[in-house]
Amino acid sequence: MQNPFTTTFSKAPENTYIATEKTAEILENFSYESPSESVYKITGVRGSGKTVILAKVEEELRKEENAKKGWLVFDLNPTRDMLTQFSAMLEKAGFGKDKKKGQSINISASVLGTGGGIGFSSEKENPFFDIGVEIEEMLKDVKDSNKKILIGIDEVSKTAEMVTFTSEYGKWLRANYPVYLVCTGLYENIMEVSNVKNLTFFRRATTIKTEALNIIRMSEMYRRQLNVQLNEALLMAKITKGYAYAFQELGVLYFKKKESDTLESIIPELKSELFAYSYEKIWEELTDTDRFLVRLITEKNEYKREEILPLMGEKAGNYSMYRDRLLKRGIIESRQAYISLALPFFGDYVKEYCS
């Protein structure tokens, strides 16, 4: 039997997907004839399910019933020229095919008797060609055809390609073209793009933070896929603390375990996988001030504000700023006046490898 769980990053699980309210929120907005929100920014710590939310939104809008309502879904690669990608996808979808006036015929030497053939020079070679203008012409056709386009971008960061594309997208919003954007990225990367001059619309766009998976839904998934008793499944779900990568990783390990193995016996392997393939990178991306506060809260499950301030010394005045940044990055969680680490065994990783 094939293992139903998967630990491949950026891949949506087929058999062990757990729906979240965040996905439903985006899809509800897009279900209306004129969605009120045009842009969603999905943030969260690595392995928390950002890409899965994007993939599920795209999957739903690609379904036949939504295609009949006019939805088209385009995935853009943020490491390449995104405007060129978008224009090519619009062209493939049937928009702007009659606009070839910028092409010029190039008669090669072969036609004149010396070998060769007839070719066409690119529109981009025309000094008056502007890809932004060409895309707007195609988007007019999209609007006239009563179509709507969802653009999905996974793992954005502040690159020249992303800034250029987002600037053009702002123009499309102002022109009221039916183009919608859902992107994912780490909190700090999303903020870098948001703070670019003249991208006010992106800064104000709806930000969705990934949430911990529901304990009951995880328990039921473990019970159904692994054929375990409810008490065992519930314990497994609690161990993961709702962290999507840990949920999948524990499922993979439990599925592969021998009959003589116990849940307790595979926990060291779970920790090893989390440390090597997730936490090392997460720690590397934290700032020194983030690490400072994390190191202070590794000894207990929860800390009161009053317990932490004396430990911070002269930095105590910056407690709220440090806490808020770690909350937004998904490293800690807050309950009233208490804070705790949000990721399972992250405190162990910090104590063992980051002292």
Side-chain angles (χ1 to χ4, degrees), residues 104 112 224 266 271 299 324 355:
S104 59
L112 301 178
R224 185 168 65 251
I266 65 175
K271 292 171 67 173
E299 297 298 331
D324 291 348
S355 59

Side-chain angles (χ1 to χ4, degrees), residues 83-314:
L83 290 177
T84 297
Q85 291 178 68
F86 187 47
S87 63
M89 290 175 182
L90 285 168
E91 179 82 15
K92 189 173 181 180
F95 300 103
K97 284 190 174 181
D98 58 336
K99 296 178 173 58
K100 296 295 181 184
K101 298 176 182 178
Q103 271 188 343
S104 59
I105 299 176
N106 172 30
I107 303 177
S108 64
S110 62
V111 181
L112 301 178
T114 58
I118 297 178
F120 294 87
S121 64
S122 168
E123 290 187 9
K124 291 186 178 181
E125 294 173 9
N126 184 331
F128 300 106
F129 174 81
D130 185 286
I131 193 167
V133 173
E134 295 296 316
I135 288 176
E136 286 207 52
E137 288 297 309
M138 289 190 274
L139 290 179
K140 289 176 184 176
D141 291 346
V142 172
K143 188 173 184 178
D144 291 342
S145 302
N146 293 317
K147 299 289 187 181
K148 289 181 282 192
I149 294 176
L150 173 71
I151 299 173
I153 308 174
D154 195 23
E155 293 297 338
V156 306
S157 58
K158 185 185 172 184
T159 62
E161 292 82 6
M162 185 64 193
V163 171
T164 298
F165 176 81
T166 312
S167 298
E168 289 292 328
Y169 181 85
K171 290 169 57 180
W172 307 336
L173 273 186
R174 293 192 295 274
N176 201 31
Y177 293 128
V179 185
Y180 303 88
L181 173 64
V182 179
C183 62
T184 76
L186 299 176
Y187 169 74
E188 55 269 29
N189 291 340
I190 290 285
M191 287 305 299
E192 279 193 337
V193 179
S194 300
N195 290 329
V196 172
K197 187 178 179 182
N198 298 327
L199 293 187
T200 305
F201 83 90
F202 193 77
R203 182 163 56 250
R204 294 177 179 172
T206 301
T207 299
I208 285 189
K209 184 176 176 295
T210 53
E211 58 190 357
L213 299 179
N214 181 272
I215 292 292
I216 294 176
R217 290 178 178 175
M218 285 191 293
S219 301
E220 287 301 316
M221 188 67 73
Y222 281 142
R223 182 163 71 161
R224 185 168 65 251
Q225 297 288 355
L226 299 173
N227 194 27
V228 298
Q229 295 297 314
L230 177 59
N231 60 340
E232 180 96 324
L234 184 58
L235 178 57
M236 292 172 66
K238 289 180 177 178
I239 286 173
T240 71
K241 299 182 74 172
Y243 179 42
Y245 179 56
F247 165 70
Q248 293 291 337
E249 185 63 62
L250 183 55
V252 166
L253 295 173
Y254 200 98
F255 183 87
K256 295 191 298 185
K257 79 178 182 66
K258 301 174 184 176
E259 284 191 18
S260 58
D261 290 337
T262 64
L263 174 58
E264 185 178 1
S265 70
I266 65 175
I267 294 302
E269 191 173 354
L270 170 64
K271 292 171 67 173
S272 176
E273 295 296 308
L274 291 174
F275 292 1
Y277 297 108
S278 181
Y279 295 172
E280 183 177 19
K281 188 64 175 176
I282 289 173
W283 183 259
E284 178 184 307
E285 292 168 340
L286 294 179
T287 66
D288 288 341
T289 52
D290 292 335
R291 295 174 183 173
F292 170 75
L293 181 54
V294 169
R295 285 193 177 100
L296 296 180
I297 57 173
T298 58
E299 297 298 331
K300 297 197 309 178
N301 290 334
E302 285 188 320
Y303 284 82
K304 278 186 177 181
R305 180 177 182 275
E306 289 73 19
E307 293 179 273
I308 301 173
L309 293 180
L311 300 176
M312 294 185 68
E314 60 184 21

Side-chain angles (χ1 to χ4, degrees), residues 329-344:
R329 289 182 172 175
I331 305 298
I332 67 172
E333 54 192 3
S334 177
R335 182 183 67 85
Q336 296 176 345
Y338 291 85
I339 64 169
S340 59
L341 293 173
L343 306 175

